[in-house]
Amino acid sequence: MSGSLSPALKPHILVVDDDDRLRGLLQLFLHEHGFLVVMASGAAMARAALRSLAFDLIVLDVMMPGESGLEFARSLRARGQDGVAELPVLFLTARAEPQERIEGLETGADDYLTKPFEPRELLLRIHAILRRKPQEKPKLKPLRLGAWIYDPARDILRGDKDVLRLTDVEARLMRLLVLHAGRPVSREALGEAGVAERTIDVQITRLRRKIEGDARNPRYLVTVRGEGYCLMPDEEGLCS
């Protein structure tokens, strides 16, 4: 599954509900609170979205025409070990009967919210689910940058004779830049990696000096005007 660059750093939510008005309100509300949102009016549309995009959470209406939310959730859980089978699900329902809640939780749902609900409560429940979700650390391979090889396992730059150690902040920046090598990473995204926004330019300059020597004419760590910073490895790129 694929996703876009810097927005992928924001939680990506799939909202599945046959109520057009509610979908519109949720899309606006969740966007305003920093989420990427894809809307689906039913199970078929949701499956199409899941085939092409990666999500962090599904907000799923129980009572939908055709394939219900419960049936859709069961089909996801039955997919075995792929990423979709493990996606957190927050059910929305207009009914509050205990049996329905039990049935929903038995499908592997992470939470249940009864309609009508306060948008703020939905937001709090989404945040609670995402905090519980295990965060996988991407496995990065060494990357060649001119005379240096960046070793993510040790947070160092290795040359023929020298070894340069990166500070904790430099290492966080490098990991994010390497993860998206060849594509610009926004200042906002770098800030989300735990780097104070006011220090990003200083830290980038320090990294450039270590990688390239001349921070004024960068070849590997370049500025993309209006988009952020981009790490451009040599053509051979990844090192074994």
Side-chain angles (χ1 to χ4, degrees):
M1 289 181 287
S2 62
S4 57
L5 162 64
S6 53
L9 297 169
K10 298 179 179 180
H12 201 180
I13 296 179
L14 174 61
V15 176
V16 189
D17 198 298
D18 64 310
D19 186 326
D20 294 343
R21 180 177 177 276
L22 180 60
R23 286 201 314 275
L25 291 173
L26 288 181
Q27 184 172 37
L28 179 61
F29 178 76
L30 293 173
H31 273 160
E32 288 176 345
H33 286 83
F35 294 96
L36 288 174
V37 187
V38 170
M39 314 304 290
S41 59
M45 188 179 295
R47 284 194 177 88
L50 288 166
R51 282 194 295 269
S52 59
L53 296 168
F55 294 94
D56 297 290
L57 172 72
I58 302 176
V59 176
L60 179 60
D61 183 30
V62 172
M63 302 298 292
M64 295 189 297
E67 186 176 0
S68 72
L70 292 174
E71 292 168 334
F72 178 61
R74 289 194 192 97
S75 72
L76 295 183
R77 297 302 186 231
R79 291 177 61 165
Q81 295 301 312
D82 67 6
V84 171
E86 304 302 322
L87 267 179
V89 174
L90 191 164
F91 273 126
L92 302 179
T93 180
R95 298 167 58 186
E97 287 82 354
Q99 183 56 40
E100 184 180 87
R101 293 173 63 87
I102 291 171
E103 190 175 0
L105 293 171
E106 286 177 344
T107 69
D110 294 80
D111 204 349
Y112 226 100
L113 189 58
T114 303
K115 300 178 182 179
F117 54 83
E118 287 290 332
R120 181 66 180 170
E121 182 179 2
L122 174 65
L123 186 65
L124 291 172
R125 289 175 182 262
I126 287 173
H127 281 304
I129 292 172
L130 293 178
R131 282 196 300 269
R132 296 195 299 266
K133 182 182 177 184
Q135 299 298 314
E136 293 185 4
K137 293 184 178 180
K139 295 181 179 179
L140 303 177
K141 292 185 178 181
L143 196 70
R144 182 173 295 281
L145 301 162
W148 300 102
I149 292 177
Y150 170 61
D151 183 347
R154 300 171 60 196
D155 290 323
I156 60 173
L157 293 166
R158 291 189 283 110
D160 291 336
K161 298 180 180 179
D162 299 319
V163 173
L164 297 181
R165 296 194 176 278
L166 302 183
T167 67
D168 180 62
V169 174
E170 290 169 348
R172 290 202 298 271
L173 283 174
M174 275 297 290
R175 285 177 171 274
L176 188 55
L177 291 164
V178 170
L179 184 61
H180 300 291
R183 296 172 291 172
V185 181
S186 69
R187 291 172 58 84
E188 179 184 1
L190 293 172
E192 290 176 2
V195 182
E197 188 169 352
R198 66 182 183 279
T199 70
I200 288 175
D201 294 332
V202 173
Q203 298 296 340
I204 290 291
T205 298
R206 289 176 178 171
L207 269 177
R208 281 175 173 160
R209 286 174 180 157
K210 288 185 175 181
I211 295 170
E212 321 200 35
D214 185 358
R216 296 170 298 178
N217 297 293
R219 153 67 180 85
Y220 298 103
L221 183 45
V222 301
T223 301
V224 181
R225 182 170 296 181
E227 295 189 54
Y229 296 102
C230 181
L231 192 68
M232 302 293 293
D234 287 327
E235 291 185 4
E236 59 265 35
L238 296 176
C239 307
S240 59

